[in-house]
Amino acid sequence: PFTHSPNRASNQTLQVNELQRGNPLLSSIRNVRWTHSRGILPDFEMSPHTCALYLSIKYHRLHPDYIARRIDALGRQYTKRVLLVYVDTEDSKLALREINKAAVVGEMTLLLAWSLDEAGRYVEALKVYENRPPDVIRERVEDTFVAQLAAALTSIRSVNKADVLTLAANFRTI
């Protein structure tokens, strides 16, 4: 596992905003190289086109206008924009509604994490998959008749795959 890299940043290194120094999330980012950087606006810069802002629910409750200001400051500089939220309180419904609205208005993808380790894995995945096409994570759909039939019929709660195989074996058309 990699830790903080004091070397100059490269395209293989996750850039972490200097303001995140001391953030406990950083100890959960173990599988990608990262380094602190003063010259970036977001909390995490995966590439020149991909970034993430980080927010905890507790911090949002103390500073409700913070995330809107941060999103506005990004402008349109990044095409892939993620708002990573650490849900660190029990009653977070209202705060999540506010954060969701800010993410939609700011054209950001909202990711929720219920632990720092989960949030760290999200940051690592965003860095690792930064240049991969969307079909890498897209669901793979089988193209055989039986597989498509199973996908369609198992969406009915009382039908399972064994039922689909029995139907396909006993009837020529469905």
Side-chain angles (χ1 to χ4, degrees):
F2 298 111
T3 56
H4 181 272
S5 173
N7 300 334
R8 187 161 182 221
S10 72
N11 61 354
Q12 298 174 345
T13 305
L14 173 69
Q15 302 297 304
V16 179
N17 192 310
E18 217 22 78
L19 299 173
Q20 294 300 311
R21 195 175 290 277
N23 186 332
L25 170 61
L26 296 178
S27 63
S28 296
I29 302 173
R30 297 182 280 271
N31 297 312
V32 296
R33 291 189 186 276
W34 61 271
T35 185
H36 286 290
S37 179
R38 293 175 198 244
I40 62 170
L41 287 172
D43 296 324
F44 300 98
E45 185 178 271
M46 290 71 181
S47 75
H49 306 289
T50 307
C51 74
L53 294 178
Y54 173 77
L55 180 68
S56 74
I57 298 289
K58 286 181 181 177
Y59 191 86
H60 175 72
R61 285 187 172 163
L62 293 172
H63 308 279
D65 296 329
Y66 169 80
I67 199 61
R69 285 194 315 269
R70 293 291 309 278
I71 292 171
D72 288 343
L74 285 179
R76 297 290 170 235
Q77 186 174 348
Y78 299 91
T79 54
K80 297 175 194 168
R81 303 148 48 100
V82 174
L83 176 54
L84 176 59
V85 177
Y86 173 38
V87 183
D88 55 351
T89 62
E90 290 293 322
D91 182 30
S92 56
K93 189 175 180 179
L94 180 61
L96 285 174
R97 186 177 303 144
E98 295 167 355
I99 293 167
N100 187 34
K101 181 180 177 184
V104 169
V105 169
E107 298 179 10
M108 298 193 75
T109 300
L110 180 63
L111 290 177
L112 302 179
W114 274 262
S115 71
L116 288 172
D117 283 337
E118 182 182 7
R121 286 192 307 270
Y122 279 136
V123 171
E124 291 170 350
L126 289 167
K127 177 61 182 167
V128 169
Y129 291 111
E130 69 183 316
N131 294 317
R132 303 264 174 93
D135 60 341
V136 170
I137 59 172
R138 193 174 290 147
E139 178 184 13
R140 285 155 183 68
V141 179
E142 297 284 335
D143 57 354
T144 65
F145 172 74
V146 173
Q148 290 177 348
L149 183 64
L153 293 179
T154 55
S155 65
I156 302 168
R157 183 175 288 190
S158 60
V159 178
N160 61 34
K161 286 187 179 181
D163 296 334
V164 172
L165 293 175
T166 303
L167 286 170
N170 292 329
F171 299 98
R172 292 180 187 238
T173 61
I174 297 182

